[in-house]
């Protein structure tokens, strides 16, 4: 590293160190590294731990190895609050143990796609990082890892376990019992889960606001009924491909979850117009509902659209491949709700032809109104 001989530049003389540090705090990590090469004085300022409270290494994921994380942890120490290692497949348990030991005030940690880590990393985090509030373990771990999180990370508010396909009810139950402040939980793609996981959430996590459970095909009305009756602050739910749920789930959500703003029911093929009626006539339907996804809900008809006219705050409605919904029905609804964006995908139509003639197949049509 080459430094300038003029460390006593005008800016260094005129501005106090505290103000210079404040200016440096607005720079990204690339710019900070460049500034560190200007002079000895700027090197000290740029590499001051207070400037490294939030770090996102996603753009450098192919170059990030364990030693990089270790060096960052030693440089930042207790200053670091937020770190994203999303996609950094070169990072393993050893470097994250060093990180956990050095950065005990970490609150947000994203380990999405860090496929080398094991339950050993969760043990290190649970032992040293008790202030952890938001943890993303997408595609990483299994039940054994969650035991460590349960024991020590009682402040955890957000946990992403998307596509952790080896997670079972046992792991979710442990998390719920140990992390009762959970407000957001993503379980999408955890295909082994059953209503036992929903029961654990209902009995232990009353503050839950966001639940993503797409492709959890074993979940049923019974589990969601208990959840709705205990978690009244629910605002967002992704239930795509929860293929066993029926209108009963919508009835319970309508009664017990007045804050619901976004709901995905795509590929929930047992949902009917009657379920939408209850949702539309509820407090959340009248006052809160902004987004509703009904793609491939084959029993939904234009009658459901009539019910949704009661949802005055609705902003987006997804109706791809709802084969009983018509253009005319959408047009009538939008006459009452002109601000709503409707996404629909109409199936191809083959007009009748005379015997021996050839039909002309019309193209599929994506309509955004």
């Amino acid at each position: 590293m080459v430094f300038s001989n003029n460390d006593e530049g005008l800016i260094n003389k005129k501005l106090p160190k505290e103000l210079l540090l404040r200016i440096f705090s607005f720079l990204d990590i690339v710019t900070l590294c460049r500034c560190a090469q200007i002079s000895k004085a700027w090197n000290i300022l740029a590499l001051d731990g207070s400037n490294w409270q939030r770090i996102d290494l996603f753009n450098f994921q192919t170059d990030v190895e364990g030693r990089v994380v270790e060096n960052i942890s030693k440089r930042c120490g207790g200053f670091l609050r937020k770190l994203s290692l999303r996609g950094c497949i070169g990072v393993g348990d050893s470097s994250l143990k060093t990180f956990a030991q050095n950065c005990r005030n970490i609150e947000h940690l994203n380990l999405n796609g860090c496929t080398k880590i094991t339950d050993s990393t969760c043990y290190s985090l649970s032992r040293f990082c008790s202030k952890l509030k938001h943890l993303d373990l997408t595609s990483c771990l299994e039940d054994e890892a969650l035991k460590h999180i349960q024991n020590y990370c009682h402040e955890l508010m957000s946990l992403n376990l998307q596509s952790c396909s080896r997670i079972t009810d046992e792991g979710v139950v442990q998390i719920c019992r140990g992390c009762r402040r959970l407000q957001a939980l993503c379980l999408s793609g955890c295909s082994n889960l059953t209503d036992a996981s929903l029961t654990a959430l209902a009995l232990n996590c009353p503050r839950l606001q966001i639940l993503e459970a797409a492709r959890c095909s074993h979940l049923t009305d019974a589990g969601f009924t208990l959840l709705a009756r205990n978690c009244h602050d629910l605002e967002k739910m992704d239930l795509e491909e929860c293929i066993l749920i029926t209108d009963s789930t919508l009835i319970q959500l309508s009664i017990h979850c007045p804050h619901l703003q976004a709901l995905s029911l795509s590929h929930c093929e047992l949902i009917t117009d009657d379920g939408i009626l209850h949702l539309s006539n509820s407090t959340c339907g009248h006052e809160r509902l902004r987004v509703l996804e009904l793609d491939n809900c084959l029993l939904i008809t234009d009658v459901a659209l009539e019910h949704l006219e009661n949802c005055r705050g609705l902003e987006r409605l997804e109706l791809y491949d709802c084969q009983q919904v018509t253009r005319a029905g959408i047009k009538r609804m939008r006459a009452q709700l002109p601000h709503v964006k409707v996404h629909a995908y109409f199936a191809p139509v083959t007009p009748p032809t005379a015997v021996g003639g050839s039909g002309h197949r019309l193209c599929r049509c994506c309509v955004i109104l």
Side-chain angles (χ1 to χ4, degrees), residues 92-101 103-104 106 109 118-130 132 145 148-149 152-153:
D93 292 329
S94 177
S95 55
L96 283 170
K97 179 180 180 180
T98 301
F99 163 82
Q101 292 171 330
C103 301
R104 302 190 181 204
I106 192 73
L109 181 61
T118 69
D119 60 305
S120 176
T121 286
C122 284
Y123 175 73
S124 299
L125 293 174
S126 64
R127 183 179 178 188
F128 300 110
C129 304
S130 60
L132 194 61
H148 304 307
I149 300 297
Y152 298 100
C153 297

Side-chain angles (χ1 to χ4, degrees), residues 189-209:
C190 299
S191 55
N192 295 319
L193 301 184
T194 72
D195 285 344
S197 291
L198 295 180
T199 300
L201 277 170
L203 298 180
N204 296 284
C205 303
R207 303 180 187 180
L208 192 67
Q209 297 177 6

Side-chain angles (χ1 to χ4, degrees), residues 167-217:
I167 293 290
T168 70
D169 291 327
E170 181 184 357
V172 176
V173 169
Q174 292 178 52
I175 282 291
C176 294
R177 289 176 177 171
C179 306
R180 295 173 179 262
R181 297 188 179 186
L182 268 182
Q183 296 180 11
L185 178 62
C186 178
L187 299 171
S188 294
C190 299
S191 55
N192 295 319
L193 301 184
T194 72
D195 285 344
S197 291
L198 295 180
T199 300
L201 277 170
L203 298 180
N204 296 284
C205 303
R207 303 180 187 180
L208 192 67
Q209 297 177 6
I210 300 174
L211 176 63
E212 299 180 19
R215 304 183 302 284
C216 295
S217 57

